[in-house]
Amino acid sequence: STILSLAWAIGLILLVAGCSNCASWFTIGRHLPQRHLTMLLAVMEILLGILLVIRPDGLAVTLPFLFATFVLIEGLSLTFESFDFKKVGFNYWWCLLILGLCGIVLGVYGLYNPTASAEMLSTLVSLGIIVDGVGYWVRVAGINRFEKRIKKIGDRFRFIEDIEDVKAEEVK
């Protein structure tokens, strides 16, 4: 019963995470070079979440494999996105890289040793969610800084345009 309830809870978490990733893709997707991977992962999370909510009993047996695969994919995504954040000048891109590598290690460990991951499923779930959650917070901080830089650049161009308009009026 614990594994069934855990499967259902993970299904809800994946469903919410997938929907939020999908929403973030629509808002910031055009700025990230790896945007197609982000959308693919969001769709996979939504589908897996729906499966776990609808049929937790059938998938509870494979839950360690599913979770390990999910953590591995999220770790890969975080690792790739860290390089995108480095390209846009985010200073703490290396935090995303470290979190992504931790996710990859946890995912590979879960796939390599599924009996241990089944016994430690709650611990692995907790670690995976923590790594993923911290990664989201770092991403949000990076996106906020990126937006502020773009706004600053836009303000500078508006200031330059205003000066050019004043000079053009003075010449007339």
Side-chain angles (χ1 to χ4, degrees):
S1 67
T2 302
I3 290 181
L4 287 176
S5 60
L6 189 59
W8 193 80
I10 290 172
L12 280 177
I13 291 169
L14 286 174
L15 196 54
V16 170
C19 289
S20 69
N21 282 339
C22 196
S24 72
W25 182 84
F26 283 112
T27 57
I28 63 165
R30 64 183 175 272
H31 299 297
L32 300 175
Q34 311 294 347
R35 64 184 173 272
H36 301 299
L37 178 64
T38 303
M39 183 52 126
L40 176 66
L41 291 172
V43 169
M44 288 175 59
E45 285 175 341
I46 291 170
L47 291 176
L48 186 57
I50 290 170
L51 284 174
L52 284 171
V53 168
I54 293 174
R55 298 280 308 186
D57 54 342
L59 294 173
V61 176
T62 60
L63 194 58
F65 292 107
L66 292 173
F67 179 71
T69 303
F70 168 74
V71 170
L72 178 63
I73 290 171
E74 281 291 319
L76 288 169
S77 172
L78 209 55
T79 301
F80 291 136
E81 285 180 8
S82 70
F83 294 111
D84 291 341
F85 279 89
K86 181 181 180 182
K87 286 179 186 176
V88 297
F90 182 55
N91 294 335
Y92 299 106
W93 66 272
W94 54 270
C95 291
L96 289 173
L97 179 65
I98 290 171
L99 291 169
L101 293 175
C102 288
I104 291 170
V105 168
L106 285 171
V108 168
Y109 175 75
L111 287 174
Y112 176 72
N113 195 355
T115 55
S117 66
E119 293 170 1
M120 296 177 49
L121 189 58
S122 62
T123 304
L124 287 175
V125 167
S126 301
L127 287 175
I129 290 172
I130 288 169
V131 165
D132 205 29
V134 170
Y136 283 126
W137 281 106
V138 173
R139 287 180 199 159
V140 167
I143 291 167
N144 286 338
R145 283 192 176 179
F146 181 68
E147 286 178 345
K148 286 178 185 175
R149 283 185 184 169
I150 288 176
K151 186 176 179 339
K152 239 185 224 183
I153 291 170
D155 290 344
R156 287 181 191 164
F157 282 119
R158 272 187 237 122
F159 180 71
I160 292 170
E161 289 173 1
D162 292 342
I163 291 174
E164 289 175 354
D165 291 341
V166 169
K167 287 181 180 179
E169 289 176 9
E170 288 176 0
V171 171
K172 289 181 183 179

